[in-house]
């Protein structure tokens, strides 16, 4: 699959954003700190607020969002030089197409344009394709948070990574 474009989402994209976000939470609950149930209960206005407050990029083809990623900038005066890559998800039909790579590059480009000097992320240690993706883009491991996420009685460790710009 080729022919996708990468673009920043705006308020008019909130419904499409909600759809793909909920799909990601439903298919891969271990990959996100939030849950399908919690986000399905959010109002449409909350999804508008999210795409306005957190720069969110999407891979899109023929009007369909294939993947998304956000960049949450730290708000404190002493931490505003860093951002965190969040809410990364690529639909199964777009995996292997280069969409994930293009989304990560969009976040890094945006971070540079905003004057950030580093982008951080957390990825579960079992998510080998995601770990390889971030490795390709220069994200280095700086720690592991044991049991960072828990689903039922199953714990997942988060690998903490940073990419200096």
């Amino acid at each position: 699959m080729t022919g996708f474009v990468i673009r920043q989402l705006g308020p008019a994209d909130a419904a499409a954003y909600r759809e793909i976000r909920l799909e990601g939470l439903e298919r891969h609950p271990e990959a996100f700190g939030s849950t399908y149930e919690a986000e399905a209960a959010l109002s449409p206005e909350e999804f508008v607020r999210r795409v306005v407050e957190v720069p969110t990029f999407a891979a899109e083809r023929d009007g369909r969002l294939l993947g998304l990623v956000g960049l949450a900038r730290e708000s404190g005066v002493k931490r505003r030089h860093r951002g965190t890559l969040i809410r990364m998800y690529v639909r199964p039909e777009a995996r292997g197409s280069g969409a994930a790579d293009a989304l990560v590059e969009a976040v890094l480009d945006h971070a540079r344009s905003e004057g950030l000097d580093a982008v951080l992320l957390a990825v579960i240690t079992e998510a080998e394709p995601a770990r390889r993706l971030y490795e390709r883009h220069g994200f280095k491991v700086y720690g592991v948070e044991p049991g960072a996420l828990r689903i039922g009685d199953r714990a997942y460790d988060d690998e903490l990574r940073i990419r200096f710009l």
Side-chain angles (χ1 to χ4, degrees):
M1 173 195 291
T2 58
F4 58 83
V5 297
I6 301 295
R7 66 178 182 86
Q8 188 169 345
L9 298 180
D13 300 303
Y17 167 76
R18 179 183 188 274
E19 177 190 339
I20 189 171
R21 174 73 175 149
L22 292 178
E23 177 184 313
L25 289 164
E26 188 172 45
R27 287 182 181 222
H28 298 284
E30 75 288 351
F32 302 100
S34 187
T35 66
Y36 175 88
E37 295 76 16
E39 295 206 17
L42 296 175
S43 70
E45 294 77 23
E46 176 60 21
F47 284 93
V48 170
R49 186 186 68 74
R50 284 181 172 200
V51 298
V52 169
E53 291 182 0
V54 175
T56 302
F57 301 89
E60 180 182 55
R61 192 181 100 215
D62 299 329
R64 176 170 163 78
L65 300 186
L66 302 173
L68 56 87
V69 66
L71 178 67
R73 187 171 189 166
E74 296 279 346
S75 59
V77 172
K78 294 181 180 181
R79 294 188 173 268
R80 288 197 50 76
H81 60 288
R82 293 187 169 189
T84 303
L85 184 151
I86 62 171
R87 302 178 186 147
M88 178 80 179
Y89 175 67
V90 175
R91 286 185 155 140
E93 71 260 28
R95 293 178 191 164
S97 70
D101 289 294
L103 287 166
V104 171
E105 282 302 317
V107 161
L108 294 174
D109 289 344
H110 185 76
R112 285 185 199 95
S113 76
E114 292 291 311
L116 302 185
D117 65 15
V119 175
L120 297 95
L121 62 82
V123 59
I124 63 166
T125 57
E126 297 174 28
E128 192 56 39
R131 291 173 65 224
R132 284 193 309 268
L133 168 70
Y134 299 131
E135 186 72 28
R136 278 196 308 274
H137 292 275
F139 286 86
K140 303 296 182 198
V141 176
Y142 68 89
V144 173
E145 184 180 352
L149 298 177
R150 183 171 295 280
I151 301 174
D153 54 1
R154 173 93 195 274
Y156 295 87
D157 298 344
D158 264 348
E159 185 175 82
L160 308 174
R161 290 181 172 251
I162 189 166
R163 168 68 153 73
F164 291 101
L165 304 174

